[in-house]
Amino acid sequence: MGGRDGPGSRPTMKDVALLAGVALKTVSRVVNEEPGVNPATAVRVREAIERLGYRRNEGARLLRSGRTASIGLVIEDVGDPFYSGLFRAVEDVARRHGSLVFAGSSGEDPVRERELVLAFCARRVDGLVVVPAGEDHAYLGPELAAGMGVVFADRPAGNLAADTVLVDNRGGARAGTAHLISYGHRRIAWLGDSPAIFTAAERLRGYRTALAEAGLPYDPCLVASGATTTEAARAALDRMSALADPPTAIFTGNGRATIAALRALGPRRYALAGFDDFEPADLLGVTVVAQDPVRLGHTAAGLLFARLAGDRDAPREIVLPTRLIPRGSAERPPA
Amino acid sequence: MGGRDGPGSRPTMKDVALLAGVALKTVSRVVNEEPGVNPATAVRVREAIERLGYRRNEGARLLRSGRTASIGLVIEDVGDPFYSGLFRAVEDVARRHGSLVFAGSSGEDPVRERELVLAFCARRVDGLVVVPAGEDHAYLGPELAAGMGVVFADRPAGNLAADTVLVDNRGGARAGTAHLISYGHRRIAWLGDSPAIFTAAERLRGYRTALAEAGLPYDPCLVASGATTTEAARAALDRMSALADPPTAIFTGNGRATIAALRALGPRRYALAGFDDFEPADLLGVTVVAQDPVRLGHTAAGLLFARLAGDRDAPREIVLPTRLIPRGSAERPPA
DNA sequence: GGAGGCGCAGACAACGTTGTCACCGGCTTG
DNA sequence: CAAGCCGGTGACAACGTTGTCTGCGCCTCC
């Protein structure tokens, strides 16, 4: 069928025009469904398009018209359930607006984040949703000035005024910790990510607030930052168990830490609550402080497309609530 | 309508050239690090680039040079753990080749799949990795002929000869079912996706093969297709429990079905094995037949980039093995 | 001391598309 | 009957980049 063109060369409007015996511009009109084309001519053009397997070159089109109908999404890891939920939500909104989504994983590396963002910018995405890993986003200034939409999700940007959607990390961690305290626990361990990560730091702050509000001391011996692997969690728990005054409960700072802690706990019977809901947490009976990645993504993408639609208001900051879901693992007194 | 953005659009090479007092082409040379530019001139150009916040317009560049350094990925759901693992692997390989990834969810809808694929093609992605939902991919013929790389993953294409990476669904399901049989079970229920989905059909076939090999009859009353939600699983199990000769074990056809079954089981004590490993399956002690989405993605992307590098061999089909991971839920005789 | 080379820089034409404007025949209007 | 108008069409110049070719000094080599 058709293709006598060598590989690599696709038919263009010119080819279609030639085959249909019309001018280039007429093909353009047909493709864009512009009015003012004789129906009979249009039919001939459409036949030629079909015959050649012509597909409009969006790149060339957008070179003229500015918008690319695509957005970029930078998250920590496209494979992580939390972020992939966010991605799904962003995709839904983008789709509703006729946009495609470039997505990339920063892996918590500010350099990689910047590379990704700039690669997206070079492709002239209309907007970006970024879960920032870095602390300085001044480099996005020119893009913002040029009319590109930028929304930060989950964590705030550094040195840049832009829309931001956050989660009430501090309040959630405080509520989770207070929940454990309400069952009589007075020695509560913390396992979570490094406080270099914004959300981890905020949650740790919430944990400390809850302790303070209950008149409990903050004991650094009970805090394991960076304990998000089974091995690290096991080491931390071993160390804490050996203390003169060991913990009776654990609060974990994110989903990975929760799973790591569960694996590491083994036979030990500690009360447990964790930040982040995860798929079969209900089956495991794990009490969690749930955040809603889908809502986070919807909100962020919503803000983005509002900007792209012309919203010129001052940058907004939206903070989404968390929800405590008791499932049993926390609802017992110290042994 | 609105049109051009208020505070000026982005600077181009022309603007940079003007500011640096050189010709357009010289800027191009500096940007592309082509040899033959006086170092002093290059410095002046780079300064101008910095001053203006210039970023090369990749769209225009690729209009000339053909390749877009981006690939498209169509999966069922970017938020699903299995597919997001695949995505992550594809991203890794793409990154190593300097490519970005457009990703989209087909949601098992052939129409949406086609829309996505064509949208990617319109943006002239260099290649595609597709988990097909539809059954006819002849529409990709022109793209393939034009030199675009296409690799199908997880399921085969219809009416198109292209590279394909599959998983040994039949063998895995057969092994899982045989594992249950080896513990003395003779009435084994099947809960899974609709057999309209290729992988589900294959796995059901594997289940039947294992039964036949053990001389056990195939009983349609024990098969629940489409039981991947908790409600559907509960209904199916209620129905089967009420049989004169109820099942003593369950084989589930994918991760969602496994979780649904676990939720639906409640107090009932059936032996259980399932297709697909999932994050905390070890914590739940669930025996699974594991496939490796990361390997699937790596392999598919590897094939794709081999094509893009010039591989002109006949289309390959690669079948990846599965692995039975006993964790206790299956390793007990009938009650 | 003319021919040729080298290092550097610019002019110009693509790439595939869309926006602008001009054209042409036939039809309505005054 | 002239002056318009209108539906349908096409020529041409952008968009921002890169490939090709040419131009200009200046140095080297017989």
Side-chain angles (χ1 to χ4, degrees), chain A residues 131-212:
Chain A
V131 175
E135 306 223 303
D136 180 14
H137 299 88
Y139 68 91
L140 272 170
E143 325 297 330
L144 230 87
M148 200 177 74
V150 181
V151 177
F152 290 87
D154 198 43
R155 311 170 191 172
N159 308 322
L160 191 76
D163 292 321
T164 309
V165 185
L166 301 174
V167 170
D168 182 16
N169 291 290
R170 208 184 298 195
R174 177 182 156 202
T177 309
H179 186 67
L180 287 167
I181 295 173
S182 78
Y183 282 88
H185 297 277
R186 310 191 64 77
R187 298 282 291 163
I188 302 174
W190 162 273
L191 267 67
D193 255 325
S194 153
I197 296 174
F198 172 81
T199 50
E202 285 291 295
R203 292 170 197 172
L204 185 54
R205 225 165 263 144
Y207 159 84
R208 294 185 64 161
T209 303
L211 292 183

Side-chain angles (χ1 to χ4, degrees), chain B residues 69-270:
Chain B
S70 55
I71 65 172
L73 172 66
V74 180
I75 52 191
E76 195 213 317
D77 179 359
V78 294
D80 181 280
F82 179 77
Y83 292 111
S84 67
L86 189 156
F87 182 7
R88 181 57 203 264
V90 169
E91 190 205 1
D92 283 344
V93 178
R95 183 187 170 191
R96 231 172 289 141
H97 288 82
S99 264
L100 293 185
V101 185
F102 275 115
S105 306
S106 71
E108 291 298 357
D109 176 1
V111 175
R112 174 69 183 146
E113 173 203 317
R114 211 187 130 134
E115 279 175 14
L116 272 171
V117 164
L118 292 185
F120 292 157
C121 291
R123 281 168 183 74
R124 294 294 187 271
V125 292
D126 300 331
L128 283 175
V129 174
V130 180
V131 175
E135 307 222 305
D136 180 14
H137 299 88
Y139 67 91
L140 272 169
E143 325 295 331
L144 231 87
M148 202 178 72
V150 181
V151 177
F152 290 87
D154 198 44
R155 310 172 191 171
N159 307 323
L160 191 76
D163 292 321
T164 308
V165 185
L166 301 174
V167 171
D168 181 15
N169 292 290
R170 207 184 299 195
R174 176 181 160 205
T177 309
H179 186 67
L180 287 167
I181 294 172
S182 77
Y183 283 87
H185 296 277
R186 311 188 63 74
R187 297 282 290 164
I188 301 174
W190 162 274
L191 266 68
D193 255 325
S194 151
I197 297 175
F198 172 80
T199 50
E202 285 291 294
R203 292 171 197 172
L204 185 53
R205 226 165 262 145
Y207 159 85
R208 295 185 64 161
T209 304
L211 292 183
E213 285 173 348
L216 297 174
Y218 168 71
D219 181 353
C221 292
L222 295 185
V223 170
S225 284
T228 55
T229 65
T230 307
E231 295 69 36
R234 199 185 323 270
L237 289 178
D238 286 350
R239 178 173 57 72
M240 293 179 191
S241 302
L243 291 175
D245 194 4
T248 61
I250 308 173
F251 188 77
T252 47
N254 67 27
R256 280 192 304 278
T258 308
I259 291 178
L262 285 170
R263 289 211 178 99
L265 271 174
R268 284 180 277 227
R269 298 276 300 165
Y270 289 159

